[in-house]
Each structure stands twice: as C-alpha cells, then as structure tokens.
Amino acid sequence: VLMDHLSDHQVEEPGEIQLLRQACFEAGTSIFREDYHTSSEFWVHFDRLNSEHLEGLAEEIAARKAPEDYSFGRFLHMVRRKFSPIVVTMAAFCSALGKEETLGPIETSIKDLAVASQLLDDLGDWKDDIGDRHLTYYLSNLVSDDNWKAKEWPSVEELQQQIDDNWVDIEYLKIVIEWLDKSLTATQDLKCNSWNDYLNGYKVLAEEHLKRATAYHLYHVIDPLINPLES
C-alpha cells in the first residue's frame, strides 16, 4: 500500500513514507526468518516476488509517461507484478504446509484476479484519476495518445461522451469477467472453496456493473425515440 501511494505521488512526505515502508518490510521479513531456514525454497519465491513487485511499480510509472506504449500486454505485465506481495504470503503458507506444488496455480489465480480487479477499479475511479492526472490503461484507450501528452487533458465531459458513444465501459467490463473466469479456472483442481466463493462473489459484482452499464446505454438510445420532443 505504501509503495502504491509513493508511485502515485499521493503522499506529502515521500522520504518519511519510504522509511516507514522499509521499516515495515524489514519487520515482516524478520518474522519470516524466524520460521523459514535460509535453505528453504520459500526464500527463492520471496526474492523473485519482491523483485517483480518493484518492476511492476516502475513499469506503471513508465507507462504513464509514454501513453503510446500503454498496450494491454504491458498492462498485464505491470498489474500481475503489482500483486506479487499477496503471493509472498501464499508462498509462505505453501512452504509451511509442504504444499509447494500448489503455489503455481494459486499464483496464477491471484495474478489473473489482479487483472480483473485493477480494470474494475480503473473503470470505477476514472473521473478521480482525471482529477489526479493519473493515467490508467482504461483512460489511455478512450482518446488518442496525443491527448495524454498535452498540458490540458480531456475533460470529464469529453471522455464521458466517448464512453457513451462507443460503449467502452461495456467492452472492459466483459474483459473483467473474462479474467475472473481465468482466475477461477486456475485453481479448479484444488480444494479452494472459500477462494472460489470469493471470486464468484467478485464475478457477480462485475456482472451487476455490466447490467447497469448496459441499461444506462440502452436508456440513452431509446429515450430520444420515446420522448422526441424532450430530446
């Protein structure tokens, strides 16, 4: 959380927050050292995943500065790495239980959820992101790259018109549901009933968003036909 706020420039004293983050990281690592021998395979995953996390944050910062390179592939690479700290916890559980072979599908499921979760957040927060000048993958696809390089960004009204004209939110909500399905598929051979319930709950939420967005667009198409004088 602290690293996300630092990379998003959402802190008033970045130096102090970086020190706090480092203190938290070292305190957490010391707890792992109490339970996992230096020869444990856990530390291989620990180092790999922490490196991935930093790479993901750096890639997000770079993508904001180069909207022309903000492809879906880059978004996937970035956001899956940003969820790596959650996988560290699962690597610890798998190692403690002697179930290291289950980490692969669990990691895939978590990182597929990351794609869905980030997209859904970006869809819901796009107006706030405009105010914060926080370029997301979703925003980068609403208008041409030159708009995001300009001093003045497009207004909320202009972007809303793009969404209304092209039903862009519908397209991305379908992508959210697609990646939730991928997340469910990744752990289908494991007995993860609570995890599956959580993912299915997330999918129900996404489907409700899709229904509302579809109803919104249909209303704006049909209303002028029903009330021509008002339109």
Side-chain angles (χ1 to χ4, degrees):
V1 172
L2 292 172
M3 288 299 288
D4 278 346
H5 285 315
L6 280 167
S7 64
D8 291 342
H9 305 291
Q10 293 177 334
V11 295
E12 294 182 2
E13 300 292 340
E16 292 181 7
I17 296 301
Q18 176 58 41
L19 289 173
L20 175 60
R21 181 263 172 190
Q22 188 62 31
C24 290
F25 182 85
E26 291 176 358
T29 304
S30 68
I31 295 172
F32 282 136
R33 289 197 184 102
E34 293 176 6
D35 294 316
Y36 296 94
H37 191 270
T38 54
S39 62
S40 171
E41 186 70 16
F42 163 73
W43 292 108
V44 175
H45 295 299
F46 180 85
D47 291 338
R48 171 180 65 85
L49 292 163
N50 279 301
S51 294
E52 284 185 5
H53 181 224
L54 295 178
E55 289 171 9
L57 292 172
E59 194 160 10
E60 182 178 37
I61 294 170
R64 292 179 197 157
K65 296 178 180 179
E68 68 277 7
D69 296 328
Y70 214 152
S71 65
F72 188 62
R74 188 170 194 176
F75 170 76
L76 290 180
H77 194 266
M78 171 194 80
V79 75
R80 291 170 69 85
R81 278 158 174 71
K82 284 181 63 181
F83 266 54
S84 292
I86 299 173
V87 185
V88 170
T89 305
M90 295 310 302
F93 280 128
C94 291
S95 294
L97 295 169
K99 299 282 188 180
E100 288 85 353
E101 72 281 358
T102 63
L103 180 60
I106 291 173
E107 179 172 350
T108 298
S109 186
I110 290 172
K111 290 183 175 180
D112 287 348
L113 170 62
V115 178
S117 175
Q118 187 66 65
L119 270 179
L120 194 58
D121 284 350
D122 292 347
L123 281 159
D125 297 340
W126 71 266
K127 292 180 181 178
D128 291 334
D129 290 331
I130 286 292
D132 295 336
R133 290 185 70 87
H134 178 181
L135 183 62
T136 64
Y137 173 71
Y138 176 63
L139 283 176
S140 73
N141 284 280
L142 294 181
V143 290
S144 65
D145 298 333
D146 291 339
N147 288 275
W148 305 115
K149 295 179 181 179
K151 185 177 181 180
E152 292 288 333
W153 275 14
S155 66
V156 168
E157 292 74 20
E158 289 174 300
L159 294 173
Q160 185 66 64
Q161 192 63 54
Q162 285 290 326
I163 295 170
D164 292 349
D165 289 346
N166 300 296
W167 296 31
V168 183
D169 50 347
I170 299 294
E171 174 188 349
Y172 284 90
L173 284 167
K174 289 179 179 178
I175 296 174
V176 168
I177 294 169
E178 174 189 344
W179 281 89
L180 286 170
D181 284 334
K182 288 177 181 288
S183 184
L184 281 161
T185 299
T187 53
Q188 65 182 358
D189 294 331
L190 303 178
K191 293 181 179 180
C192 300
N193 294 334
S194 295
W195 177 244
N196 291 336
D197 289 344
Y198 172 75
L199 292 176
N200 279 313
Y202 218 125
K203 185 177 176 181
V204 169
L205 175 64
E207 288 171 341
E208 289 174 353
H209 281 297
L210 179 59
K211 289 177 184 177
R212 283 196 292 269
T214 302
Y216 167 85
H217 289 298
L218 288 174
Y219 171 79
H220 283 82
V221 170
I222 296 171
D223 185 57
L225 302 176
I226 299 174
N227 304 297
L229 295 179
E230 294 182 15
S231 61

